[in-house]
Amino acid sequence: MDWIDMRSDTVTKPTLEMRAAMASAEVGDDVYQDDPTTNRLEARAAELLGFEAALFITSGTMGNQLALMCNTRRGDEVIAGAECHIVMHEVGAAAVLSGANIRQIPYENGLPVPARIEAAIRPDDIHEPRTALVCMENALANGRVVPLDTMREIYTLAHAHGIPVHLDGARIFNAAVALGVDVKELTQYTDTLTCCLSKGLCAPVGAVFAGSREMVERARRYRKMLGGGMRQNGILAAAGLLALEKMPERLHVDHENARYMASLLQNVPGITLDLDSVEINMVFCKIDRELPFLEALPERMREHGVLIGGYEGGEFRFVTNHGVSRKDVEHTVAALQTVLSE
Ligand SMILES: Cc1ncc(COP(=O)(O)O)c(C=O)c1O
């Protein structure tokens, strides 16, 4: 069965061109830095993203944790948004891998507030942990896009206190497309970056960690420590290169489909959403029903050939992606309407 899969943009599959490039990729042992395709991907990623160097890694989670490992000592504190991926979805890795504490800063209207971040920076006091890193995320896991001015403010204030900044840019290209700017306009406001290749960009595996040459060499050692020395990974990097070169230019289609979906959902009785909050490929909505109906909704949608994520935080999330067309959006909304009217 051809499912309409709106659970996430991580479900995207490699394009035919990616599969062909993977089949013919030139490879070597990447732990010896001998893999020509991986070397090309890393050089190109550094250039496109505006950094001295980049490292091909297994996942976005690994990139964020490498940033924490590179920048902290045991007992240090990392400032991060209370709802960000590092806090919510990385299995408590900061405590396990870095021995770091995360100071969680609540957003306001779904966005980070620079003044709150500045207020959370610790003074030089023997009783307090050392603030070692400020983490940003863009686009945010809640589907919002952090404006450039806010990023600049956070970067400037962190540096004024001598604190480096890491950006979880799992969806950095979605943020750049939404803001209508080159991705380097955003990445200028961070010291290190995680950028995922296997979400809306369709690579089957992988992400990139980018930063100064020194930081990337430090991350290379930690990547090895985590079991991320991947040998002939040029086969994966070949798809990653195409993800970087070709896929960002089509992300606007996913964004348009998300807004289209939100505009249709707005007219469905019992569904509420904020159209203005639909900035990338994600639509969040509330459904005016009780449990257990809400918990059963994903199963009911499966009967109509649609996969959606579970009920979480009082909301449902729909993610448009390379495998979802405008017609699929219409089918999904119609299916939802049918299920709600039964
Ligand atoms: C904002 C954000 N950061 C990081 C990640 C982690 O990426 P991965 O699933 O490749 O570990 C995700 C995954 O969805 C994400 O949404």
Side-chain angles (χ1 to χ4, degrees), residues 5-161:
D5 197 343
M6 301 193 76
R7 289 171 299 172
S8 177
D9 47 10
T10 57
V11 301
T12 49
K13 296 185 176 143
T15 61
L16 289 178
E17 192 182 5
M18 285 179 184
R19 287 181 187 266
M22 291 170 79
S24 62
E26 212 187 330
V27 295
D29 188 332
D30 183 48
V31 175
Y32 294 116
Q33 298 185 44
D34 266 356
D35 186 293
T37 311
T38 302
N39 292 344
R40 265 199 299 136
L41 167 67
E42 292 178 345
R44 189 67 181 127
E47 183 183 26
L48 277 173
L49 297 166
F51 292 90
E52 270 180 16
L55 186 69
F56 186 43
I57 54 175
T58 58
S59 67
T61 300
M62 179 185 267
N64 290 337
Q65 293 307 318
L66 288 174
L68 266 56
M69 292 172 86
C70 286
N71 283 293
T72 61
R73 299 187 300 241
R74 276 157 55 84
D76 280 351
E77 195 161 73
V78 171
I79 292 178
E83 295 159 41
C84 76
H85 197 272
I86 291 174
V87 169
M88 299 297 289
H89 292 119
E90 299 192 4
V91 209
V96 179
L97 300 174
S98 298
N101 185 36
I102 302 189
R103 186 93 180 262
Q104 300 175 24
I105 313 300
Y107 298 147
E108 194 172 277
N109 300 322
L111 292 171
V113 182
R116 287 186 183 174
I117 292 170
E118 184 152 39
I121 294 174
R122 302 280 189 177
D124 185 10
D125 181 327
I126 192 174
H127 300 91
E128 301 198 26
R130 189 179 73 106
T131 305
L133 183 67
V134 170
C135 291
M136 283 197 262
E137 195 179 75
N138 210 8
L140 295 167
N142 64 10
R144 303 294 308 277
V145 174
V146 182
L148 275 174
D149 283 352
T150 308
M151 292 188 71
R152 185 187 309 115
E153 235 183 294
I154 294 171
Y155 178 76
T156 306
L157 74 84
H159 276 220
H161 289 270

Side-chain angles (χ1 to χ4, degrees), residues 213-265:
R213 200 157 282 123
E214 189 218 327
M215 198 52 85
V216 166
E217 284 319 303
R218 207 182 294 179
R220 189 185 298 280
R221 292 181 75 89
Y222 284 125
R223 182 187 67 170
K224 189 76 179 75
M225 185 188 281
L226 296 176
M230 292 182 287
R231 310 297 176 184
Q232 287 73 32
N233 53 12
I235 288 181
L236 300 171
L241 258 169
L242 286 167
L244 275 179
E245 298 285 5
K246 300 217 165 162
M247 302 312 277
E249 66 200 39
R250 64 151 304 283
L251 287 176
H252 70 95
V253 175
D254 296 343
H255 295 192
E256 284 152 20
N257 284 342
R259 277 193 76 80
Y260 178 53
M261 178 163 189
S263 70
L264 296 179
L265 286 174

